[in-house]
């Protein structure tokens, strides 16, 4: 399933905050922010549920701030962010990769230097379902580009999945396996020019 710009952007209707009871065991936003800020590097297998119901799998590499790489299994497809840009490399398409600024995707919220989920206008839902804490966030400076729903489990806090909702209401869900944090990831994994050069035979 080709990954489009729409799949990485999102928007959502105004959310109604959950009743106060739903907050009783929700992980506080300050704790979630500290957890995200503590993530330097992380690696995990992932399962992606696309908006059309198809399923993709692969491995995601995260290097905060500002860098992420999605390698897809059984498909010559690669999505990476680095240098403030997102690039989509599709081996089935000719020409250069599709690119656009990282700031135009709500995934930037968890990739930015200092995550602050308590920032005014960022979180529209913060709830607990008995097992996990769910946070719906959007960039308050760019509220129309989309939203990201983050799902965390406690003790210890761990990011389990995120859901991007695009401006048309379509959703792309990424379910993470166990995150391996703190490992070394090659800088080239996040270099769009190096990946472009390598694919061009350079």
């Amino acid at each position: 399933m080709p990954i489009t710009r729409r799949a990485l952007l999102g928007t959502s209707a105004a959310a109604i905050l959950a009743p106060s009871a739903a907050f009783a065991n929700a992980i506080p936003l300050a704790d979630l922010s500290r957890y995200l800020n503590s993530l330097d590097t992380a690696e995990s297998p992932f399962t992606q549920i696309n908006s059309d119901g198809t399923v993709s799998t692969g491995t995601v590499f995260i290097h905060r701030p500002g860098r992420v790489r999605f390698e897809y299994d059984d498909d010559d497809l690669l999505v990476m962010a680095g240098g403030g840009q997102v690039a989509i490399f599709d081996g089935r398409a000719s020409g250069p990769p599709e690119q656009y600024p990282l700031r135009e995707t709500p995934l930037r919220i968890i990739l930015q230097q200092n995550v602050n989920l308590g920032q005014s206008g960022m979180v529209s839902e913060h709830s607990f379902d008995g097992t996990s804490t769910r946070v719906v966030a959007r960039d308050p400076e760019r509220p129309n580009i989309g939203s990201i729903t983050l799902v965390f489990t406690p003790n210890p806090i761990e990011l389990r999945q995120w859901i991007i909702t695009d401006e048309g209401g379509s959703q792309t869900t990424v379910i993470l396996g166990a995150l391996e944090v703190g490992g070394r990831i090659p800088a080239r994994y996040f270099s769009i020019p190096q990946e472009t050069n390598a694919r061009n035979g350079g």
Side-chain angles (χ1 to χ4, degrees):
M1 168 71 183
I3 304 301
T4 64
R5 172 173 175 164
R6 180 176 296 272
L8 292 174
L9 300 178
T11 188
S12 66
I16 300 174
L17 291 178
S20 58
F23 288 87
N25 295 301
I27 303 168
L29 294 177
D31 291 351
L32 296 177
S33 296
R34 278 192 291 271
Y35 163 74
L36 291 171
N37 286 324
S38 74
L39 291 179
D40 180 18
T41 62
E43 176 183 345
S44 173
F46 72 88
T47 298
Q48 179 174 302
I49 304 172
N50 302 302
S51 59
D52 62 358
T54 59
V55 176
S56 308
T57 60
T59 303
V60 60
F61 302 87
I62 300 169
H63 192 170
R64 300 184 60 260
R67 288 161 286 183
V68 68
R69 178 185 178 99
F70 297 89
E71 293 182 352
Y72 289 83
D73 298 331
D74 304 320
D75 198 350
D76 189 11
L77 181 65
L78 173 68
V79 178
M80 70 161 64
Q85 293 286 308
V86 175
I88 301 170
F89 293 89
D90 187 347
R92 297 162 297 185
S94 59
E98 179 184 356
Q99 291 191 58
Y100 54 92
L102 177 60
R103 66 176 180 271
E104 292 186 6
T105 169
L107 193 59
R108 171 186 174 274
I109 290 172
I110 63 173
L111 293 177
Q112 60 189 324
Q113 178 75 51
N114 295 303
V115 177
N116 179 12
L117 295 175
Q119 181 180 349
S120 177
M122 178 170 287
V123 171
S124 60
E125 180 182 336
H126 177 212
S127 59
F128 179 70
D129 66 4
T131 302
S132 58
T133 295
R134 180 184 179 94
V135 174
V136 179
R138 66 181 69 224
D139 186 341
E141 297 180 2
R142 300 174 180 81
N144 296 324
I145 67 169
S147 69
I148 185 170
T149 300
L150 303 168
V151 179
F152 301 88
T153 51
N155 303 319
I157 297 172
E158 187 169 16
L159 178 62
R160 304 302 303 176
Q161 68 175 272
W162 63 72
I163 305 164
I164 299 294
T165 305
D166 72 18
E167 64 273 25
S170 297
Q171 294 186 327
T172 301
T173 300
V174 172
I175 302 169
L176 300 172
L179 281 173
E180 297 182 16
V181 300
R184 298 191 65 179
I185 304 174
R188 62 180 176 81
Y189 274 30
F190 312 103
S191 172
I192 296 172
Q194 280 188 257
E195 183 67 29
T196 302
N197 190 47
R199 288 177 176 247
N200 289 335

